Amino acid sequence: MSHSTTTTGRRSVFSRPTAETGFSSWITTTDHKKIGIMYFFTVLVFFFLGGVESGVIRAQLAQAEQSLVTPEIYNQAFTMHGITMVFLVVMPLSAAFFNYLIPLQIGARDVAFPRLNAFSYWMYLFGGIFLYSSFLLGGAPNGSWVGYAPLSIDSVSNMAFYAVGIQLLGVSSLAAAVNFIVTILNMRAPGMTFMRMPMFIWMSLVTNFLLLFALPIIAVALFMLQFDTVFGAQFFNPATGGDPILWQHLFWLFGHPEVYIMILPAMGIVSEILPVFSRKPLFGYAAVAFAGAAIGFIGFGVWAHHMFTSSIGPVARSAFALSTMFIAVPTGIKIFNWVFTMWGGKLRFTTPMLFSIGFVSMFTIGGLSGVTHSIVPHNAQQHDTYYVVAHFHYVLFGGALFGLIAGIYYWFPKVTGRLMSERLGKAHFWTWLLGFNLTFGPMHMSGLLGQPRRTAVLPGELGGTVELYNLLSSLGLLVLVVSALIFLYNLVVSIKSGVASGPDPWDARTLEWLSASPPKHYNFDVIPTISHRDEFWHRKYAEDEAGRPVAVPAGASEEHGDGHDDRGEHIHMPDPSYWPLVMCLGFFPLAYGLIGPIWPAIIVGVVWIIIGYFGWIIEPVAEGDDDDPVVEDPDAHRSGVAAH
Ligand code: HEM
Ligand SMILES: [Cu+2]
C-alpha cells in the first residue's frame, strides 16, 4: 500500500486516529472484536432496563385487582419491555457474536467493511438511547411492540417514538446484515467450502439474509406509520378509509421472520457447543444446515398465523395453518440432530453444555405450544391470552436467550484468556432454569383459564387458581433476579481474576480456537488453509485402525500447513476512524425533529449526516500505514502447524 496522502509531521483533525488503548481507541475502533465487546456490554445495560420493566409488570400482576402503577405506566412498561428484549437485547447480543466470531471462525482478519461495522454499533446505541429518552420527553411507546393500528396512530399513543426509533435500529441491523453476508461469502479462508463452514457461520448467513429481506418490510410499514402519526396521513386509519389490517400484514411479514432472526443464531451456537462437549461431530451436518435454510424460507410464508382472529377469511386461515404446521418439520429435524449428537457421546456437563441442553429442552416446549397455535380453533381460544405469552417466552427466553448465554460461557475464554467460574456458572444455570420455568410455566395454565394479555389489572373474577399462578410467576422473577446477579458477579470476577485458559480450553473443533486467547489484533499470523470440516479438530487428531481419535503431537501435522507463509509480510489492518460516530450523531437531531415535526432540527440532522458521509468517503488512510505490525515470531501462537 502506498504512503498516505496527508502531509507528514503535524497531525490535523483530518488525519486518522491512531490510539490503540484508552477511551478514544474504543470510540474510533474498527476492530470487529472490540465492536463485538461493545455490543455485549451495551446489551447488558439494556437487559437490565428490560428486566426492570418486567419487574413492573410482574409486581402489578402479582395479586388480582392491584393498582401499584397506572394503566398508562403499565402499557409503557410492557411495550418497552418487548421492544427492549427483541431489538435491544436478543438481536444485538446475536450481533455481538457475529462480530466477534464470524471473522475468527472463517479464518479472516476482519469483516468486509470495518467502518460500516462501527456505524452499525453506533446506530444501535443511539437508537436505544433515543427510544429510552422518550420516558423523559412525555412518555414511552405504549401500544405494544406489534404497534397495532389504529391504536398506534391515535394521538393518545406515544408511538411516534416507536416509528422513528425502530427505524434507526433497523438501519443498524441492515448495514450489519450486508456486512456479514459479504464477509461470509467473500472472506472465508482458502479451502473453506460451504459444506466446511462451522454451523454457527451457516446460521449467521441465514439470519443475515432474513434481516436483509425482512427489515425493508418493517421500514416501509414504519414510514407509513410515521406519516400517519406525525404528518397526518391516513394509511391505517379506518375512519378515513385507511386499513388497520394492512399494518398487521406488513408488521407480521417482518415479524415472523424476526422470530427466526432471534432464534437461528442461538441454534448456531448450540450446534457448536453440543459436539465439543459430546466429543462427537455434529450429527447430520448437512441436514442441520439445510433445515436452517428451510426455516428461513418457510418463515416468510407463515405470517398470517398471527392474524387468525382478524378478518382474513377461511381460505387464508387454512393456508396459513398448513404452512405454520409445516415449519415444525425442519425445526424438528434440528432438534433430533442435536439429540443424536449427544447420543452415545462422552458428555461433559460444563456450564455452556448445560445451557445448550437447557436450550434444546425449553425450545422444544415452546415449539410444541407453537404447533397448538397453528390449529385455527385452538388459536381462536388462545389468542391474546397468557398462553401465547408462555409460548413465545419459551421460544425467546428458554430458546434464544439460553443459547446465547451458553455462547457467553463458551467463548468467554477466547475473548478474555480466562475461564468463568464453573461453580458460579452452574449455580447460575440451575437458578435460571428454575426461575424461568416458575415464571413462564404457570402462564400456560392461567392463559388457558382465560387470563388476557396486555391488561393492567388481573381480573379477580378469574378466580383464586389464576391468582395463585400469577403469584408463582412473580416469585419466579425474583429467582431470576438472584440468578442474574450470580451471573454478573461471575462475569466481573472472572474478567479480573478467572483461571488462565490457554488458546483451546475445551478441546474444540473450530478455527477461532487456533488463534491466541484473546486473539491478536490481526487474528491469525498466517491465514489457515482449510481441508476439512472441523479443521482445527483434524489438526489435533488422527484416527487409529479402529477409527478412534488419537492425538497428533503438536507441530506434526505438516500436511495441513498451507506451504506458504506470510512471515515478514506486512499485515494491513483497517485504521480507526471518527467518521462512523460523527455521522451517526447526526441522526439525533433528525430523529427528534421527525417526532415534532421540527423542521430546523430535521435540516440540521440531514446536513450533518451528509457532511459525515463525505468525511467518511474522503478519509485518508493513516500516516505511516506501512509501519503496521510485522509478524515477528509466527510460531509462538501457531498450534499444529509445523515450522518450515
Ligand atoms: C421459533 C421461534 C418462535 C418465536 C420467537 C415465536 C414468537 C411468537 C410471538 C412473539 C407470538 C405473539 C404474537 C402476538 O402477539 O399475537 C407468537 C404467536 C404465535 N406463534 Fe410463535 N414463535 C416461534 C415459533 C413458533 C412455531 C414453531 C409455531 C408453530 C409451529 C408458532 C406459531 C405461532 C402462532 C400460530 C402464533 C399466533 C398466536 C395467536 O395469535 O394467538 N410459533 N409467536
Ligand atoms: Cu409467527
Side-chain angles (χ1 to χ4, degrees):
M1 193 178 286
S2 64
H3 282 274
S4 75
T5 45
T6 45
T7 42
T8 38
R10 215 164 56 83
R11 293 174 48 76
S12 74
V13 278
F14 294 109
S15 8
R16 282 183 88 137
T18 50
E20 273 160 29
T21 52
F23 183 69
S24 68
S25 77
W26 287 93
I27 64 170
T28 59
T29 189
T30 53
D31 177 356
H32 70 98
K33 297 183 289 298
K34 281 191 161 177
I35 294 173
I37 292 169
M38 284 154 71
Y39 265 104
F40 176 76
F41 283 105
T42 313
V43 164
L44 287 186
V45 174
F46 284 119
F47 187 59
F48 170 77
L49 294 171
V52 170
E53 284 143 3
S54 67
V56 172
I57 300 171
R58 282 322 320 166
Q60 169 72 2
L61 298 184
Q63 286 179 350
E65 310 293 350
Q66 274 204 122
S67 50
L68 283 177
V69 293
T70 62
E72 177 51 33
I73 303 270
Y74 185 85
N75 290 349
Q76 294 182 18
F78 79 71
T79 301
M80 284 301 283
H81 165 76
I83 291 174
T84 302
M85 290 307 186
V86 170
F87 295 102
L88 301 176
V89 174
V90 172
M91 288 172 78
L93 188 50
S94 303
F97 283 96
F98 296 156
N99 266 293
Y100 205 93
L101 289 173
I102 287 177
L104 281 167
Q105 280 203 330
I106 65 174
R109 293 211 157 104
D110 206 323
V111 295
F113 309 114
R115 286 184 298 173
L116 189 66
N117 202 18
F119 170 86
S120 294
Y121 169 75
W122 296 115
M123 284 302 281
Y124 156 55
L125 178 66
F126 294 169
I129 292 174
F130 174 79
L131 273 166
Y132 267 87
S133 72
S134 64
F135 277 111
L136 308 172
L137 297 170
N142 53 1
S144 150
W145 84 286
V146 301
Y148 281 164
L151 187 64
S152 53
I153 56 170
D154 196 283
S155 55
V156 303
S157 87
N158 307 325
M159 296 302 274
F161 269 99
Y162 169 92
V164 179
I166 307 288
Q167 199 78 283
L168 297 182
L169 297 172
V171 170
S172 159
S173 297
L174 202 50
V178 173
N179 209 345
F180 293 128
I181 290 171
V182 176
T183 304
I184 294 173
L185 293 184
N186 281 335
M187 294 172 67
R188 278 166 291 139
M192 184 178 280
T193 59
F194 276 96
M195 296 315 277
R196 288 178 189 162
M197 293 194 308
M199 192 51 64
F200 179 72
I201 298 296
W202 259 107
M203 293 306 110
S204 305
L205 187 62
V206 176
T207 305
N208 283 292
F209 268 113
L210 288 184
L211 283 164
L212 188 65
F213 291 120
L215 286 169
I217 304 169
I218 190 73
V220 167
L222 290 169
F223 271 123
M224 294 164 80
L225 181 65
Q226 192 178 346
F227 273 83
D228 274 10
T229 53
V230 180
F231 300 111
Q234 308 291 339
F235 288 114
F236 303 124
N237 185 358
T240 51
D243 185 359
I245 299 295
L246 174 62
W247 168 264
Q248 293 193 22
H249 279 298
L250 289 172
F251 182 84
W252 285 113
L253 188 48
F254 150 81
H256 196 83
E258 169 68 21
V259 164
Y260 297 104
I261 288 166
M262 288 188 268
I263 197 76
L264 284 165
M267 289 178 163
I269 289 171
V270 303
S271 301
E272 299 293 349
I273 294 175
L274 290 172
V276 167
F277 297 108
S278 306
R279 294 186 179 282
K280 281 172 65 191
L282 181 67
F283 183 91
Y285 171 95
V288 177
F290 291 137
I295 289 174
F297 280 107
I298 307 169
F300 277 97
V302 304
W303 79 90
H305 67 208
H306 297 265
M307 302 165 63
F308 284 158
T309 57
S310 309
S311 55
I312 56 169
V315 176
R317 278 194 192 103
S318 318
F320 281 96
L322 262 180
S323 64
T324 302
M325 289 174 197
F326 191 56
I327 207 168
V329 174
T331 313
I333 290 177
K334 280 178 169 260
I335 291 173
F336 279 113
N337 280 298
W338 291 323
V339 172
F340 288 143
T341 301
M342 288 184 273
W343 197 273
K346 286 205 208 87
L347 304 190
R348 285 183 286 166
F349 294 103
T350 58
T351 309
M353 181 66 164
L354 290 177
F355 272 99
S356 300
I357 298 172
F359 165 93
V360 176
S361 11
M362 296 303 112
F363 174 73
T364 303
I365 299 175
L368 291 177
S369 60
V371 177
T372 71
H373 294 320
S374 67
I375 303 159
V376 176
H378 269 271
N379 183 287
Q381 202 63 35
Q382 292 154 203
H383 186 74
D384 273 351
T385 68
Y386 260 79
Y387 185 84
V388 175
V389 181
H391 154 69
F392 68 77
H393 283 92
Y394 268 81
V395 173
L396 293 177
F397 187 147
L401 205 53
F402 268 63
L404 290 163
I405 292 174
I408 295 172
Y409 281 96
Y410 181 61
W411 280 295
F412 183 88
K414 182 50 49 186
V415 179
T416 62
R418 295 174 188 277
L419 290 160
M420 286 180 83
S421 153
E422 275 293 307
R423 200 171 42 84
L424 290 171
K426 290 193 170 117
H428 173 208
F429 172 75
W430 291 109
T431 47
W432 201 243
L433 188 73
L434 172 75
F436 167 74
N437 281 293
L438 193 57
T439 309
F440 298 104
M443 290 183 187
H444 290 109
M445 307 306 293
S446 60
L448 291 178
L449 290 170
Q451 183 182 351
R453 68 191 284 203
R454 300 181 187 139
T455 48
V457 178
L458 171 62
E461 76 253 23
L462 287 173
T465 320
V466 174
E467 285 174 37
L468 176 66
Y469 287 137
N470 276 275
L471 185 61
L472 288 178
S473 286
S474 300
L475 292 177
L477 183 64
L478 291 181
V479 180
L480 284 173
V481 169
V482 172
S483 185
L485 291 176
I486 298 175
F487 169 67
L488 265 184
Y489 176 74
N490 194 354
L491 200 66
V492 174
V493 170
S494 304
I495 287 174
K496 281 204 294 208
S497 52
V499 180
S501 66
D504 179 28
W506 311 120
D507 195 8
R509 316 181 70 89
T510 39
L511 227 47
E512 70 275 26
W513 303 100
L514 175 69
S515 80
S517 294
K520 293 179 186 170
H521 180 40
Y522 40 92
N523 291 354
F524 300 97
D525 295 325
V526 176
I527 297 296
T529 300
I530 311 302
S531 47
H532 293 91
R533 181 184 301 160
D534 289 338
E535 170 74 18
F536 182 48
W537 178 268
H538 287 282
R539 291 185 180 198
K540 295 186 291 184
Y541 295 94
E543 283 186 348
D544 65 11
E545 306 84 65
R548 284 184 301 261
V550 281
V552 177
S557 58
E558 204 151 5
E559 71 277 14
H560 295 303
D562 54 6
H564 131 274
D565 194 332
D566 300 349
R567 208 177 320 189
E569 282 179 28
H570 295 219
I571 298 175
H572 291 283
M573 295 305 294
D575 299 312
S577 170
Y578 301 110
W579 289 106
L581 174 59
V582 169
M583 182 173 159
C584 283
L585 282 170
F587 281 89
F588 271 123
L590 176 63
Y592 286 111
L594 283 171
I595 297 285
I598 311 165
W599 289 102
I602 294 177
I603 292 166
V604 168
V606 169
V607 171
W608 189 330
I609 292 166
I610 292 174
I611 292 174
Y613 180 59
F614 276 100
W616 180 321
I617 293 175
I618 62 177
E619 184 178 40
V621 293
E623 293 170 36
D625 198 44
D626 280 2
D627 299 335
D628 262 346
V630 175
V631 182
E632 298 117 21
D633 180 14
D635 296 325
H637 288 283
R638 287 195 296 169
S639 56
V641 184
H644 290 246

